[in-house]
Amino acid sequence: YSGRFIGNRGFMVTFSDVDTLFTIDLSDPGKPFIAGSIEIPGYAEYIHPVDTNHLVTIGREVTETEGLDGSKSMVSGGILLSLFDITDFSNPKLVNTTVIGDKNSTSEASGNHNAFTFWSEKNLLAIPVSMVDTQANEFSFNGLYIYHVSNESGFELKGRLNTKTD
């Protein structure tokens, strides 16, 4: 679903039933190898470096549901932000996640890296979010979500800027 190359390190995420973040050692271009991995529920559509040892991903929350006949299926939920610690490149760790909205929520930042804004000097992340009220069939929120990203505590919502006009 997504990939990122930073110097001689690579990062990729795949999606089947769960998302796997792979760390890839590219120090010998003729012999790249998977150094580590971590599986998490949901999936990432974009990977962004926070600093040398941390990554933020944006994607979708995914949960498993059971049908009346006992069959299981995966259902997409809200927008999923995840923070990873890659200090130990062979053993990446999930630091924190936060979910925005529900299955009707979208973010342009999931498919357009230009819509993902990270201000490293202040550790601030801003992403556009649209939420739909399915009962009223109209946008209930359209604007920016702003987070402080901390390597220790994860995502702290600093505010929302609603650009929805009547």
Side-chain angles (χ1 to χ4, degrees):
Y1 259 62
S2 184
R4 170 68 76 164
F5 299 97
I6 304 168
N8 63 1
R9 302 188 307 169
F11 307 92
M12 292 181 62
V13 291
T14 61
F15 174 71
S16 54
D17 290 334
V18 295
D19 196 14
T20 303
L21 171 72
F22 292 99
T23 57
I24 304 165
D25 187 318
L26 304 168
S27 57
D28 181 350
K31 296 181 182 174
F33 66 92
I34 294 173
S37 66
I38 182 172
E39 289 186 353
I40 61 163
Y43 61 91
E45 297 168 303
Y46 178 67
I47 302 169
H48 191 87
V50 172
D51 58 33
T52 306
N53 295 314
H54 296 87
L55 302 171
V56 169
T57 63
I58 182 170
R60 301 298 294 188
E61 173 188 45
V62 174
T63 55
E64 186 176 72
T65 62
E66 187 171 327
L68 295 174
D69 62 356
S71 64
K72 296 186 182 200
S73 62
M74 303 304 278
V75 177
S76 287
I79 300 164
L80 177 65
L81 293 174
S82 300
L83 176 65
F84 293 93
D85 183 335
I86 53 168
T87 304
D88 179 353
F89 196 63
S90 63
N91 189 25
K93 298 199 179 328
L94 180 64
V95 174
N96 189 264
T97 63
T98 192
V99 177
I100 304 167
D102 62 18
K103 68 179 181 176
N104 297 312
S105 304
T106 61
S107 176
E108 179 71 15
S110 292
N112 179 354
H113 70 277
N114 292 315
F116 188 100
T117 304
F118 185 73
W119 186 18
S120 59
E121 290 81 19
K122 299 283 186 181
N123 288 334
L124 291 176
L125 169 64
I127 59 168
V129 172
S130 295
M131 295 181 185
V132 176
D133 177 345
T134 53
Q135 300 271 335
N137 197 28
E138 63 183 27
F139 285 108
S140 59
F141 178 84
N142 197 35
L144 287 176
Y145 266 63
I146 299 118
Y147 289 93
H148 181 262
V149 180
S150 164
N151 298 335
E152 292 77 35
S153 57
F155 301 97
E156 176 190 354
L157 182 62
K158 299 307 277 183
R160 299 179 344 156
L161 176 62
N162 195 346
T163 57
K164 178 181 177 269
T165 58
D166 293 329

